[in-house]
């Protein structure tokens, strides 16, 4: 069985596209949105991990370590899925490839598996943010409920992220030593 959600609404200024395919207890997620920002600004937005504190559902976020192109981030998410209250704690390791790619994988936490990539694809006067992930949650919440939640909340989160990316101003270099100059 395949369940897909494709966003093509008229009030979708960032062309948010979402596909969620459940398979063998896991969810394969492919999503994207386009923002009028250059790849350098898009990359700065994605790697400003502390800015993720402003995303709905994130109740705690800490950068645990940085070394070369690896960053470990601890996050706690809280969601109400219908009448279930779900809290997810994860430590995710990000591998940064400046201005093109951000890969990630959970190294510990409540999900059985969470890994994927953010790819940045330059287009005319925009950058396409492409999100691909595999998620396997270790939850008492039924799969059908999780799938319903993902379909309905992922769109809102991506639209919110796209809006924030469109308005994003990178922090000054003295606040974030990882900000790389664009060429």
């Amino acid at each position: 069985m395949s369940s897909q959600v494709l966003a093509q609404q008229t009030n979708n200024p960032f062309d948010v596209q979402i596909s969620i395919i459940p398979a063998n207890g896991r969810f394969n997620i492919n999503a994207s949105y386009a923002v009028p920002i250059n790849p350098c600004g898009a990359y700065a937005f994605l790697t400003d991990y502390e800015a993720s504190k402003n995303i709905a559902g994130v109740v705690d976020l800490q950068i645990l370590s940085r070394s070369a192109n690896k960053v470990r981030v601890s996050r706690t998410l809280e969601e109400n899925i219908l009448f279930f209250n779900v809290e997810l704690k994860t430590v995710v390791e990000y591998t940064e490839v400046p201005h093109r790619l951000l890969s990630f994988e959970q190294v510990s936490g409540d999900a059985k598996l969470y890994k994927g990539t953010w790819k940045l694809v330059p287009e005319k006067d925009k950058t396409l943010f492409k999100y691909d992930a595999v998620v396997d949650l270790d939850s008492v919440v039924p799969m059908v409920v999780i799938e319903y939640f993902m379909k309905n909340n992922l769109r809102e989160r991506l639209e919110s992220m796209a809006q924030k990316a469109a308005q994003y101003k990178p922090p000054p270099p003295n606040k974030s030593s990882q900000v790389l100059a664009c060429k």
Side-chain angles (χ1 to χ4, degrees):
M1 287 181 99
S2 173
S3 174
Q4 292 190 359
V5 176
L6 298 176
Q8 294 182 3
Q9 301 166 343
T10 56
N11 63 349
N12 187 0
F14 301 108
D15 193 25
V16 175
Q17 304 288 321
I18 301 169
S19 170
I20 300 172
I21 302 170
N24 301 321
R26 296 180 175 176
F27 294 97
N28 295 309
I29 304 168
N30 305 102
S32 65
Y33 58 86
V35 177
I37 188 173
N38 66 33
C40 181
Y43 179 77
F45 172 75
L46 281 181
T47 57
D48 188 352
Y49 303 101
E50 293 194 355
S52 296
K53 290 178 183 177
N54 299 322
I55 295 175
V58 176
V59 295
D60 185 43
L61 183 138
Q62 295 177 345
I63 296 174
L64 301 176
S65 66
R66 285 186 188 268
S67 62
N69 67 334
K70 304 262 187 201
V71 180
R72 282 200 178 193
V73 177
S74 171
R75 249 187 345 202
T76 302
L77 305 171
E78 281 186 3
E79 295 293 343
N80 289 315
I81 303 175
L82 299 177
F83 45 87
F84 296 95
N85 185 31
V86 177
E87 181 180 272
L88 293 172
K89 293 182 180 188
T90 64
V91 174
V92 176
E93 182 171 88
Y94 294 90
T95 302
E96 302 172 341
V97 178
H99 316 301
R100 293 190 319 215
L101 176 73
L102 184 64
S103 63
F104 57 88
E105 185 167 1
Q106 175 185 280
V107 293
S108 66
D110 294 334
K112 290 181 192 175
L113 174 70
Y114 176 55
K115 69 179 184 175
T117 59
W118 278 101
K119 293 178 186 166
L120 299 172
V121 181
E123 295 183 343
K124 296 181 187 176
D125 57 347
K126 302 179 202 173
T127 297
L128 181 67
F129 290 69
K130 293 182 71 174
Y131 174 79
D132 297 305
V134 177
V135 180
D136 188 349
L137 298 175
D138 189 14
S139 175
V140 296
V141 178
M143 288 287 287
V144 69
V145 174
I146 293 171
E147 183 179 357
Y148 174 84
F149 168 78
M150 286 182 156
K151 287 178 183 177
N152 290 292
N153 277 12
L154 187 55
R155 173 177 318 292
E156 290 174 32
R157 286 184 190 217
L158 290 175
E159 288 172 351
S160 174
M161 286 181 71
Q163 184 67 42
K164 289 177 192 300
Q167 299 169 348
Y168 183 72
K169 302 290 182 239
N174 64 349
K175 286 193 172 189
S176 174
S177 61
Q178 297 300 314
V179 176
L180 301 173
C182 287
K183 296 179 181 175

